[in-house]
Amino acid sequence: MFSFLKPTPDAEKKVPQEKIKSTYLWRQTGVLLSICIGYIGYYTIRLIFTTEQNPIMKAYHFTTAQIGLVLSCFGIGYGISKLFMGALSDKSNPNHYLATGLFISAILNIFLGSTKNFYVMMILMLVMSVAQGMGAAACQRTVQLWWGKKRRGAIYSIWSSAHNAGAFVCVAIVQLATFMFTGSIRAVFYTASVVAIIIGLFILWAGSDRPTTVGLPSITEYTGDEVKLENGEETHTEVSKQSLVKIFVQYILKNKMVWAISLTSMFLYLVRYGIMSWIPSYLVQKGFTPDFAKWLVGIFELSAVPGVIIIGAISDALKNHRAVVCIGCVLGLIACLTTYFFSKNHTLIVIILLIMGSLIYAPLTLVGLMVNEAVPKFAVGSSTGFMGFFQYIFGETLATALIGILVAKFGWVASNIVLYTAAIMALLLLIYILINENKIVKE
């Protein structure tokens, strides 16, 4: 099993010079499909409990606070998992790593659908979060290994849109399983697991490890891509023999930009999950029907796909000045939050949700790329895990458990205050990042 996860040795037989371009394009297509469809599978598993929160509360007599606690177990476990599983991905075959995490998640999801015990659900969500932590780091490492910086913003945005497409697919699976199996909650979980296992097999078939493992030159040789670190040092190394601890201390803990970007992402995640996790409950109290409110979770996610891809391409066109793009998105987000909180017009609320999808996910996508570009390629998984730790231990936990408790005690106005504060903090950190980004460019 562990040998299955180890990096593949470089291929002895090299691709002929005249076929490198066409082979690179063909391999990149397969790799992109594997990470995009693969991460859709991860999200299909991850969001089942979120989309089914109203049926579960009704059938199992759970409160919003209990639902929030189960969701927060995933957030806490996922945050810790991303820290360690992200670092391990730097020493792995990212293609095999991605598929393995999905297979394990699918099996655990079957058990989750087979119990009605609140405490067992909490434990299963905690354990599942460890396997889920294998996904993003493997995908982000793959992007860094297969694409140069000039195209990476657009490619990364396409992959990131898998988050959103995954949410929509999850809702579609829920509705299909509910129709086919007469509203059985258990059948919904089982159906999602079967879909995830099929996707896992596709990952193994379509994806690849590094370009050098299939006889191609590395992305640095092919495009001249190099990483410029905070101290101005340039590096193009893809695999390092340094220990995980040394890599983590040297390139993560001592890197101010990694800290600033990670904290920005944490606050953006708080807004993301503070909106998305509570759409079914929040909109029902505004007069929406439960079924329509459930669909809006998927619509909110899916609507962001074109916006995120376009904004990612814009960041490439601006010669990688990604912080400027993020600041513009967050300013628009703060304006949209005001309408979402205080409007009672259903049509307007739906329109605002469609717009907010792009304004939340675009900066989240770009900061994820920024933190990877702030470290060498052999530390990408570690930077992803470090940022993920803040996203989920603090960002998602505050957006689920804390907001669930505050709403139960003070009403939805408490949620509004938390989300406003998070958006403003993200804006201030992005201004700091922009200043430092310009400083590094000048140096």
Side-chain angles (χ1 to χ4, degrees):
M1 178 64 177
F2 289 106
S3 60
F4 175 73
L5 295 176
K6 289 180 179 179
T8 305
D10 289 350
E12 293 183 7
K13 184 178 179 180
K14 305 299 180 183
V15 174
Q17 186 67 34
E18 67 275 9
K19 293 185 177 181
I20 286 177
K21 185 175 181 180
S22 60
T23 305
Y24 233 112
L25 181 60
W26 174 253
R27 288 286 185 175
Q28 283 175 327
T29 301
V31 167
L32 184 59
L33 287 172
S34 72
I35 61 175
C36 287
I37 296 175
Y39 214 57
I40 286 174
Y42 271 79
Y43 259 70
T44 297
I45 293 292
R46 185 181 306 177
L47 294 180
I48 285 293
F49 195 90
T50 297
T51 55
E52 288 299 276
Q53 61 184 254
N54 283 328
I56 288 173
M57 282 192 286
K58 183 177 179 180
Y60 301 170
H61 307 293
F62 288 174
T63 65
T64 55
Q66 285 178 302
I67 293 293
L69 286 171
V70 174
L71 291 172
S72 69
C73 280
F74 180 89
I76 292 169
Y78 190 57
I80 296 172
S81 168
K82 287 195 79 170
L83 190 61
F84 295 101
M85 304 307 279
L88 286 174
S89 74
D90 288 327
K91 301 290 186 180
S92 76
N93 175 329
N95 177 253
H96 292 178
Y97 203 73
L98 180 66
T100 300
L102 187 54
F103 288 140
I104 296 172
S105 296
I107 293 169
L108 290 169
N109 191 58
I110 292 173
F111 292 125
L112 187 63
S114 302
T115 183
K116 295 182 179 180
N117 186 289
F118 170 67
Y119 298 104
V120 173
M121 283 185 175
M122 291 179 70
I123 293 170
L124 285 171
M125 286 293 272
L126 192 64
V127 177
M128 185 193 294
S129 67
V130 176
Q132 286 276 312
M134 300 172 73
C139 291
Q140 290 177 229
R141 175 167 161 74
T142 299
V143 171
Q144 298 292 319
L145 292 172
W146 278 92
W147 283 273
K149 199 168 184 178
K150 290 182 179 179
R151 293 182 57 204
R152 199 178 290 146
I155 295 297
Y156 191 92
S157 297
I158 292 171
W159 166 72
S160 186
S161 68
H163 298 65
N164 314 96
F168 186 83
V169 170
C170 180
V171 174
I173 289 173
V174 166
Q175 295 298 92
L176 178 63
T178 300
F179 173 76
M180 291 177 62
F181 302 104
T182 62
S184 168
I185 295 175
R186 180 176 295 183
V188 171
F189 283 89
Y190 293 172
T191 304
S193 291
V194 170
V195 171
I197 290 170
I198 293 171
I199 290 175
L201 295 173
F202 173 80
I203 293 170
L204 295 175
W205 175 74
S208 301
D209 194 343
R210 307 179 311 282
T212 53
T213 65
V214 292
L216 290 166
S218 70
I219 194 63
T220 299
E221 295 175 84
Y222 186 58
T223 66
D225 178 66
E226 288 188 340
V227 177
K228 179 170 281 190
L229 304 179
E230 188 181 33
N231 59 6
E233 176 189 349
E234 290 186 348
T235 176
H236 55 79
T237 307
E238 295 183 348
V239 179
S240 173
K241 293 183 179 180
Q242 297 179 62
S243 69
L244 289 175
V245 173
K246 187 174 181 180
I247 290 172
F248 190 76
V249 172
Q250 180 66 33
Y251 297 102
I252 307 299
L253 291 183
K254 293 184 178 181
N255 193 323
K256 293 178 183 177
M257 286 294 282
V258 168
W259 276 96
I261 295 168
S262 297
L263 291 173
T264 302
S265 186
M266 177 190 76
F267 286 114
L268 289 173
Y269 253 65
L270 204 164
V271 177
R272 171 194 174 186
Y273 277 97
I275 296 293
M276 188 267 288
S277 294
W278 297 105
I279 284 175
S281 301
Y282 181 69
L283 293 187
V284 165
Q285 61 88 33
K286 282 208 168 194
F288 286 76
T289 64
D291 282 342
F292 186 51
K294 184 189 297 184
W295 269 109
L296 282 174
V297 175
I299 293 171
F300 167 75
E301 297 278 329
L302 191 63
S303 67
V305 173
V308 167
I309 294 173
I310 291 169
I311 292 170
I314 289 172
S315 76
D316 284 341
L318 292 176
K319 297 182 179 179
N320 307 312
H321 291 293
R322 311 195 197 279
V324 174
V325 180
C326 292
I327 288 172
C329 289
V330 174
L331 286 172
L333 172 61
I334 292 171
C336 286
L337 283 173
T338 303
T339 305
Y340 182 68
F341 293 151
F342 298 107
S343 176
K344 296 181 181 179
N345 185 301
H346 285 195
T347 302
L348 182 59
I349 290 172
V350 172
I351 292 172
I352 288 297
L353 271 175
L354 298 180
I355 296 171
M356 278 202 299
S358 294
L359 296 179
I360 291 174
Y361 283 102
L364 269 175
T365 297
L366 292 179
V367 296
L369 179 54
M370 287 159 64
V371 81
N372 291 161
E373 291 179 339
V375 300
K377 287 183 173 63
F378 58 78
V380 167
S382 297
S383 69
T384 299
F386 185 72
M387 186 173 70
F389 178 81
F390 285 94
Q391 288 172 340
Y392 287 91
I393 290 295
F394 300 106
E396 189 187 359
T397 301
L398 292 173
T400 52
L402 178 62
I403 286 180
I405 293 168
L406 289 175
V407 168
K409 190 170 184 179
F410 302 107
W412 288 102
V413 67
S415 170
N416 300 352
I417 293 171
V418 170
L419 298 183
Y420 266 136
T421 303
I424 292 169
M425 290 302 298
L427 180 63
L428 294 175
L429 282 164
L430 282 167
I431 293 171
Y432 169 81
I433 292 168
L434 176 62
I435 294 170
N436 281 270
E437 194 178 67
N438 292 335
K439 183 180 177 182
I440 291 171
V441 171
K442 287 180 181 178
E443 290 178 351

PDB file of all heavy atoms in Angstrom, residues 173-199:
ATOM      1  N   ILE A 173     -27.023  14.385  -7.006  1.00  0.00           N
ATOM      2  CA  ILE A 173     -27.031  13.002  -6.519  1.00  0.00           C
ATOM      3  C   ILE A 173     -28.060  12.831  -5.409  1.00  0.00           C
ATOM      4  O   ILE A 173     -28.785  11.832  -5.347  1.00  0.00           O
ATOM      5  CB  ILE A 173     -25.626  12.599  -6.025  1.00  0.00           C
ATOM      6  CG1 ILE A 173     -24.673  12.441  -7.214  1.00  0.00           C
ATOM      7  CG2 ILE A 173     -25.674  11.301  -5.210  1.00  0.00           C
ATOM      8  CD1 ILE A 173     -23.227  12.221  -6.818  1.00  0.00           C
ATOM      9  N   VAL A 174     -28.127  13.815  -4.525  1.00  0.00           N
ATOM     10  CA  VAL A 174     -29.105  13.778  -3.432  1.00  0.00           C
ATOM     11  C   VAL A 174     -30.520  13.702  -3.986  1.00  0.00           C
ATOM     12  O   VAL A 174     -31.337  12.867  -3.568  1.00  0.00           O
ATOM     13  CB  VAL A 174     -28.955  15.018  -2.521  1.00  0.00           C
ATOM     14  CG1 VAL A 174     -30.164  15.150  -1.601  1.00  0.00           C
ATOM     15  CG2 VAL A 174     -27.683  14.926  -1.695  1.00  0.00           C
ATOM     16  N   GLN A 175     -30.816  14.569  -4.965  1.00  0.00           N
ATOM     17  CA  GLN A 175     -32.161  14.598  -5.525  1.00  0.00           C
ATOM     18  C   GLN A 175     -32.473  13.310  -6.281  1.00  0.00           C
ATOM     19  O   GLN A 175     -33.584  12.777  -6.187  1.00  0.00           O
ATOM     20  CB  GLN A 175     -32.312  15.800  -6.461  1.00  0.00           C
ATOM     21  CG  GLN A 175     -32.202  17.154  -5.755  1.00  0.00           C
ATOM     22  CD  GLN A 175     -33.301  17.370  -4.710  1.00  0.00           C
ATOM     23  OE1 GLN A 175     -33.129  17.053  -3.533  1.00  0.00           O
ATOM     24  NE2 GLN A 175     -34.432  17.890  -5.152  1.00  0.00           N
ATOM     25  N   LEU A 176     -31.496  12.796  -7.030  1.00  0.00           N
ATOM     26  CA  LEU A 176     -31.702  11.563  -7.779  1.00  0.00           C
ATOM     27  C   LEU A 176     -31.919  10.380  -6.841  1.00  0.00           C
ATOM     28  O   LEU A 176     -32.843   9.577  -7.038  1.00  0.00           O
ATOM     29  CB  LEU A 176     -30.486  11.296  -8.676  1.00  0.00           C
ATOM     30  CG  LEU A 176     -30.531   9.996  -9.505  1.00  0.00           C
ATOM     31  CD1 LEU A 176     -31.682  10.046 -10.489  1.00  0.00           C
ATOM     32  CD2 LEU A 176     -29.206   9.791 -10.244  1.00  0.00           C
ATOM     33  N   ALA A 177     -31.071  10.273  -5.816  1.00  0.00           N
ATOM     34  CA  ALA A 177     -31.198   9.166  -4.865  1.00  0.00           C
ATOM     35  C   ALA A 177     -32.494   9.259  -4.074  1.00  0.00           C
ATOM     36  O   ALA A 177     -33.143   8.245  -3.794  1.00  0.00           O
ATOM     37  CB  ALA A 177     -30.001   9.159  -3.916  1.00  0.00           C
ATOM     38  N   THR A 178     -32.885  10.476  -3.725  1.00  0.00           N
ATOM     39  CA  THR A 178     -34.143  10.674  -2.991  1.00  0.00           C
ATOM     40  C   THR A 178     -35.326  10.216  -3.831  1.00  0.00           C
ATOM     41  O   THR A 178     -36.268   9.581  -3.333  1.00  0.00           O
ATOM     42  CB  THR A 178     -34.321  12.160  -2.607  1.00  0.00           C
ATOM     43  OG1 THR A 178     -33.218  12.555  -1.782  1.00  0.00           O
ATOM     44  CG2 THR A 178     -35.610  12.373  -1.840  1.00  0.00           C
ATOM     45  N   PHE A 179     -35.273  10.527  -5.139  1.00  0.00           N
ATOM     46  CA  PHE A 179     -36.356  10.131  -6.050  1.00  0.00           C
ATOM     47  C   PHE A 179     -36.377   8.620  -6.259  1.00  0.00           C
ATOM     48  O   PHE A 179     -37.430   7.976  -6.221  1.00  0.00           O
ATOM     49  CB  PHE A 179     -36.175  10.857  -7.387  1.00  0.00           C
ATOM     50  CG  PHE A 179     -37.131  10.398  -8.453  1.00  0.00           C
ATOM     51  CD1 PHE A 179     -38.461  10.809  -8.428  1.00  0.00           C
ATOM     52  CD2 PHE A 179     -36.697   9.561  -9.474  1.00  0.00           C
ATOM     53  CE1 PHE A 179     -39.349  10.374  -9.409  1.00  0.00           C
ATOM     54  CE2 PHE A 179     -37.586   9.129 -10.460  1.00  0.00           C
ATOM     55  CZ  PHE A 179     -38.917   9.541 -10.430  1.00  0.00           C
ATOM     56  N   MET A 180     -35.181   8.027  -6.462  1.00  0.00           N
ATOM     57  CA  MET A 180     -35.100   6.602  -6.781  1.00  0.00           C
ATOM     58  C   MET A 180     -35.399   5.709  -5.581  1.00  0.00           C
ATOM     59  O   MET A 180     -35.946   4.614  -5.731  1.00  0.00           O
ATOM     60  CB  MET A 180     -33.706   6.265  -7.322  1.00  0.00           C
ATOM     61  CG  MET A 180     -33.404   6.854  -8.699  1.00  0.00           C
ATOM     62  SD  MET A 180     -31.704   6.485  -9.238  1.00  0.00           S
ATOM     63  CE  MET A 180     -31.732   4.692  -9.302  1.00  0.00           C
ATOM     64  N   PHE A 181     -35.027   6.192  -4.384  1.00  0.00           N
ATOM     65  CA  PHE A 181     -35.150   5.347  -3.193  1.00  0.00           C
ATOM     66  C   PHE A 181     -36.136   5.922  -2.177  1.00  0.00           C
ATOM     67  O   PHE A 181     -35.959   5.773  -0.962  1.00  0.00           O
ATOM     68  CB  PHE A 181     -33.771   5.149  -2.560  1.00  0.00           C
ATOM     69  CG  PHE A 181     -32.771   4.531  -3.492  1.00  0.00           C
ATOM     70  CD1 PHE A 181     -31.775   5.303  -4.081  1.00  0.00           C
ATOM     71  CD2 PHE A 181     -32.839   3.182  -3.808  1.00  0.00           C
ATOM     72  CE1 PHE A 181     -30.849   4.741  -4.948  1.00  0.00           C
ATOM     73  CE2 PHE A 181     -31.904   2.610  -4.679  1.00  0.00           C
ATOM     74  CZ  PHE A 181     -30.915   3.393  -5.257  1.00  0.00           C
ATOM     75  N   THR A 182     -37.153   6.612  -2.681  1.00  0.00           N
ATOM     76  CA  THR A 182     -38.280   7.131  -1.877  1.00  0.00           C
ATOM     77  C   THR A 182     -37.841   7.854  -0.603  1.00  0.00           C
ATOM     78  O   THR A 182     -38.331   7.558   0.494  1.00  0.00           O
ATOM     79  CB  THR A 182     -39.253   5.985  -1.513  1.00  0.00           C
ATOM     80  OG1 THR A 182     -38.558   5.005  -0.719  1.00  0.00           O
ATOM     81  CG2 THR A 182     -39.830   5.352  -2.746  1.00  0.00           C
ATOM     82  N   GLY A 183     -36.902   8.762  -0.740  1.00  0.00           N
ATOM     83  CA  GLY A 183     -36.532   9.625   0.378  1.00  0.00           C
ATOM     84  C   GLY A 183     -35.629   8.994   1.410  1.00  0.00           C
ATOM     85  O   GLY A 183     -35.445   9.551   2.499  1.00  0.00           O
ATOM     86  N   SER A 184     -34.999   7.866   1.117  1.00  0.00           N
ATOM     87  CA  SER A 184     -34.122   7.197   2.079  1.00  0.00           C
ATOM     88  C   SER A 184     -32.825   7.982   2.263  1.00  0.00           C
ATOM     89  O   SER A 184     -32.069   8.184   1.311  1.00  0.00           O
ATOM     90  CB  SER A 184     -33.795   5.780   1.598  1.00  0.00           C
ATOM     91  OG  SER A 184     -32.754   5.219   2.354  1.00  0.00           O
ATOM     92  N   ILE A 185     -32.564   8.443   3.484  1.00  0.00           N
ATOM     93  CA  ILE A 185     -31.328   9.167   3.773  1.00  0.00           C
ATOM     94  C   ILE A 185     -30.125   8.248   3.584  1.00  0.00           C
ATOM     95  O   ILE A 185     -29.092   8.641   3.038  1.00  0.00           O
ATOM     96  CB  ILE A 185     -31.358   9.725   5.214  1.00  0.00           C
ATOM     97  CG1 ILE A 185     -32.459  10.779   5.347  1.00  0.00           C
ATOM     98  CG2 ILE A 185     -30.000  10.328   5.584  1.00  0.00           C
ATOM     99  CD1 ILE A 185     -32.646  11.291   6.752  1.00  0.00           C
ATOM    100  N   ARG A 186     -30.271   7.000   4.007  1.00  0.00           N
ATOM    101  CA  ARG A 186     -29.173   6.029   3.877  1.00  0.00           C
ATOM    102  C   ARG A 186     -28.783   5.840   2.406  1.00  0.00           C
ATOM    103  O   ARG A 186     -27.595   5.795   2.059  1.00  0.00           O
ATOM    104  CB  ARG A 186     -29.611   4.692   4.485  1.00  0.00           C
ATOM    105  CG  ARG A 186     -28.566   3.600   4.414  1.00  0.00           C
ATOM    106  CD  ARG A 186     -29.039   2.338   5.129  1.00  0.00           C
ATOM    107  NE  ARG A 186     -29.187   2.570   6.550  1.00  0.00           N
ATOM    108  CZ  ARG A 186     -29.531   1.632   7.428  1.00  0.00           C
ATOM    109  NH1 ARG A 186     -29.777   0.397   6.994  1.00  0.00           N
ATOM    110  NH2 ARG A 186     -29.655   1.914   8.695  1.00  0.00           N
ATOM    111  N   ALA A 187     -29.772   5.752   1.522  1.00  0.00           N
ATOM    112  CA  ALA A 187     -29.508   5.539   0.097  1.00  0.00           C
ATOM    113  C   ALA A 187     -28.750   6.706  -0.515  1.00  0.00           C
ATOM    114  O   ALA A 187     -27.947   6.520  -1.436  1.00  0.00           O
ATOM    115  CB  ALA A 187     -30.820   5.318  -0.646  1.00  0.00           C
ATOM    116  N   VAL A 188     -28.988   7.908  -0.016  1.00  0.00           N
ATOM    117  CA  VAL A 188     -28.283   9.084  -0.512  1.00  0.00           C
ATOM    118  C   VAL A 188     -26.782   8.943  -0.251  1.00  0.00           C
ATOM    119  O   VAL A 188     -25.945   9.188  -1.140  1.00  0.00           O
ATOM    120  CB  VAL A 188     -28.831  10.369   0.140  1.00  0.00           C
ATOM    121  CG1 VAL A 188     -27.955  11.572  -0.216  1.00  0.00           C
ATOM    122  CG2 VAL A 188     -30.266  10.631  -0.298  1.00  0.00           C
ATOM    123  N   PHE A 189     -26.414   8.550   0.954  1.00  0.00           N
ATOM    124  CA  PHE A 189     -25.003   8.366   1.307  1.00  0.00           C
ATOM    125  C   PHE A 189     -24.370   7.249   0.469  1.00  0.00           C
ATOM    126  O   PHE A 189     -23.241   7.386  -0.021  1.00  0.00           O
ATOM    127  CB  PHE A 189     -24.861   8.045   2.793  1.00  0.00           C
ATOM    128  CG  PHE A 189     -25.011   9.239   3.692  1.00  0.00           C
ATOM    129  CD1 PHE A 189     -26.254   9.626   4.181  1.00  0.00           C
ATOM    130  CD2 PHE A 189     -23.906   9.985   4.070  1.00  0.00           C
ATOM    131  CE1 PHE A 189     -26.394  10.729   5.013  1.00  0.00           C
ATOM    132  CE2 PHE A 189     -24.022  11.086   4.905  1.00  0.00           C
ATOM    133  CZ  PHE A 189     -25.274  11.463   5.375  1.00  0.00           C
ATOM    134  N   TYR A 190     -25.104   6.142   0.300  1.00  0.00           N
ATOM    135  CA  TYR A 190     -24.571   5.011  -0.461  1.00  0.00           C
ATOM    136  C   TYR A 190     -24.336   5.382  -1.929  1.00  0.00           C
ATOM    137  O   TYR A 190     -23.315   5.011  -2.519  1.00  0.00           O
ATOM    138  CB  TYR A 190     -25.537   3.826  -0.391  1.00  0.00           C
ATOM    139  CG  TYR A 190     -25.682   3.206   0.975  1.00  0.00           C
ATOM    140  CD1 TYR A 190     -26.648   2.240   1.220  1.00  0.00           C
ATOM    141  CD2 TYR A 190     -24.863   3.581   2.044  1.00  0.00           C
ATOM    142  CE1 TYR A 190     -26.802   1.652   2.473  1.00  0.00           C
ATOM    143  CE2 TYR A 190     -25.008   3.012   3.308  1.00  0.00           C
ATOM    144  CZ  TYR A 190     -25.986   2.054   3.514  1.00  0.00           C
ATOM    145  OH  TYR A 190     -26.139   1.488   4.745  1.00  0.00           O
ATOM    146  N   THR A 191     -25.289   6.094  -2.518  1.00  0.00           N
ATOM    147  CA  THR A 191     -25.178   6.480  -3.927  1.00  0.00           C
ATOM    148  C   THR A 191     -23.951   7.360  -4.150  1.00  0.00           C
ATOM    149  O   THR A 191     -23.202   7.184  -5.121  1.00  0.00           O
ATOM    150  CB  THR A 191     -26.439   7.228  -4.383  1.00  0.00           C
ATOM    151  OG1 THR A 191     -27.593   6.412  -4.146  1.00  0.00           O
ATOM    152  CG2 THR A 191     -26.361   7.581  -5.866  1.00  0.00           C
ATOM    153  N   ALA A 192     -23.737   8.314  -3.240  1.00  0.00           N
ATOM    154  CA  ALA A 192     -22.573   9.202  -3.355  1.00  0.00           C
ATOM    155  C   ALA A 192     -21.271   8.414  -3.286  1.00  0.00           C
ATOM    156  O   ALA A 192     -20.303   8.704  -4.004  1.00  0.00           O
ATOM    157  CB  ALA A 192     -22.613  10.256  -2.247  1.00  0.00           C
ATOM    158  N   SER A 193     -21.215   7.392  -2.448  1.00  0.00           N
ATOM    159  CA  SER A 193     -20.001   6.583  -2.314  1.00  0.00           C
ATOM    160  C   SER A 193     -19.704   5.788  -3.580  1.00  0.00           C
ATOM    161  O   SER A 193     -18.551   5.672  -3.996  1.00  0.00           O
ATOM    162  CB  SER A 193     -20.133   5.630  -1.118  1.00  0.00           C
ATOM    163  OG  SER A 193     -20.114   6.350   0.096  1.00  0.00           O
ATOM    164  N   VAL A 194     -20.750   5.251  -4.209  1.00  0.00           N
ATOM    165  CA  VAL A 194     -20.557   4.501  -5.458  1.00  0.00           C
ATOM    166  C   VAL A 194     -19.994   5.414  -6.543  1.00  0.00           C
ATOM    167  O   VAL A 194     -19.047   5.058  -7.261  1.00  0.00           O
ATOM    168  CB  VAL A 194     -21.895   3.877  -5.922  1.00  0.00           C
ATOM    169  CG1 VAL A 194     -21.748   3.300  -7.331  1.00  0.00           C
ATOM    170  CG2 VAL A 194     -22.335   2.787  -4.953  1.00  0.00           C
ATOM    171  N   VAL A 195     -20.548   6.618  -6.659  1.00  0.00           N
ATOM    172  CA  VAL A 195     -20.063   7.595  -7.641  1.00  0.00           C
ATOM    173  C   VAL A 195     -18.593   7.930  -7.356  1.00  0.00           C
ATOM    174  O   VAL A 195     -17.764   8.006  -8.276  1.00  0.00           O
ATOM    175  CB  VAL A 195     -20.923   8.870  -7.616  1.00  0.00           C
ATOM    176  CG1 VAL A 195     -20.289   9.974  -8.470  1.00  0.00           C
ATOM    177  CG2 VAL A 195     -22.332   8.571  -8.102  1.00  0.00           C
ATOM    178  N   ALA A 196     -18.239   8.117  -6.084  1.00  0.00           N
ATOM    179  CA  ALA A 196     -16.867   8.475  -5.712  1.00  0.00           C
ATOM    180  C   ALA A 196     -15.880   7.360  -6.055  1.00  0.00           C
ATOM    181  O   ALA A 196     -14.754   7.630  -6.514  1.00  0.00           O
ATOM    182  CB  ALA A 196     -16.800   8.789  -4.217  1.00  0.00           C
ATOM    183  N   ILE A 197     -16.255   6.108  -5.872  1.00  0.00           N
ATOM    184  CA  ILE A 197     -15.368   4.988  -6.196  1.00  0.00           C
ATOM    185  C   ILE A 197     -15.107   4.918  -7.704  1.00  0.00           C
ATOM    186  O   ILE A 197     -13.971   4.686  -8.150  1.00  0.00           O
ATOM    187  CB  ILE A 197     -15.967   3.664  -5.678  1.00  0.00           C
ATOM    188  CG1 ILE A 197     -15.906   3.637  -4.131  1.00  0.00           C
ATOM    189  CG2 ILE A 197     -15.235   2.460  -6.260  1.00  0.00           C
ATOM    190  CD1 ILE A 197     -16.663   2.499  -3.504  1.00  0.00           C
ATOM    191  N   ILE A 198     -16.138   5.159  -8.496  1.00  0.00           N
ATOM    192  CA  ILE A 198     -15.969   5.178  -9.955  1.00  0.00           C
ATOM    193  C   ILE A 198     -15.012   6.294 -10.361  1.00  0.00           C
ATOM    194  O   ILE A 198     -14.131   6.112 -11.215  1.00  0.00           O
ATOM    195  CB  ILE A 198     -17.337   5.351 -10.648  1.00  0.00           C
ATOM    196  CG1 ILE A 198     -18.208   4.111 -10.405  1.00  0.00           C
ATOM    197  CG2 ILE A 198     -17.157   5.589 -12.152  1.00  0.00           C
ATOM    198  CD1 ILE A 198     -19.643   4.266 -10.857  1.00  0.00           C
ATOM    199  N   ILE A 199     -15.156   7.453  -9.739  1.00  0.00           N
ATOM    200  CA  ILE A 199     -14.270   8.586 -10.032  1.00  0.00           C
ATOM    201  C   ILE A 199     -12.834   8.264  -9.623  1.00  0.00           C
ATOM    202  O   ILE A 199     -11.873   8.627 -10.320  1.00  0.00           O
ATOM    203  CB  ILE A 199     -14.775   9.855  -9.319  1.00  0.00           C
ATOM    204  CG1 ILE A 199     -16.071  10.342  -9.979  1.00  0.00           C
ATOM    205  CG2 ILE A 199     -13.716  10.967  -9.361  1.00  0.00           C
ATOM    206  CD1 ILE A 199     -16.716  11.516  -9.267  1.00  0.00           C
TER     207      ILE A 199
END
